[in-house]
Amino acid sequence: LAGRDGHDDLVVDPVRAGLPLTTIIAFDVANNKVPVAIKALAGYEQVKWVSTTTGRYDILAMAAFHSAQELSGFLQHEVAKIEGLRNTETYICLEISKEPYIPL
């Protein structure tokens, strides 16, 4: 697939890559810290997609993990460091019915 930057990006199913726990994490961030938070989240390998949003939360991110313990560590040790973070809500994806992935 051609990425937005003009490079060819290969997208892989996280489960097949050994990351069976997919999550959506919603972030409530101080308005003046949203750009800093987006940059921080985009830098994490676990985060596969991140966007600013309208509505109750300022940012939504999709992230994939090897286990619940890895997710817990990410939330406690990495997400907690994000400047301006007020609150998060984490959703664990149980059954993904439509994926943007292509087979290798």
Side-chain angles (χ1 to χ4, degrees), residues 4-40:
R4 289 185 183 183
D5 59 4
H7 294 94
D8 289 334
D9 295 326
L10 184 59
V11 181
V12 178
D13 179 351
V15 173
R16 290 186 181 187
L19 299 165
L21 185 64
T22 299
T23 63
I24 302 296
I25 307 171
F27 298 86
D28 180 16
V29 181
N31 287 339
N32 64 335
K33 298 298 182 183
V34 169
V36 172
I38 282 282
K39 185 175 181 179

Side-chain angles (χ1 to χ4, degrees), residues 14-73:
V15 173
R16 290 186 181 187
L19 299 165
L21 185 64
T22 299
T23 63
I24 302 296
I25 307 171
F27 298 86
D28 180 16
V29 181
N31 287 339
N32 64 335
K33 298 298 182 183
V34 169
V36 172
I38 282 282
K39 185 175 181 179
L41 289 165
Y44 290 112
E45 181 180 325
Q46 297 92 333
V47 175
K48 308 306 178 193
W49 174 89
V50 63
S51 177
T52 55
T53 60
T54 61
R56 183 170 189 259
Y57 292 98
D58 305 296
I59 299 169
L60 290 177
M62 182 185 86
F65 301 92
H66 294 99
S67 65
Q69 291 79 16
E70 184 182 1
L71 167 61
S72 179

Side-chain angles (χ1 to χ4, degrees), residues 62 95-101:
M62 182 185 86
E95 185 176 328
I96 299 173
S97 298
K98 184 173 182 179
E99 302 174 274
Y101 311 114

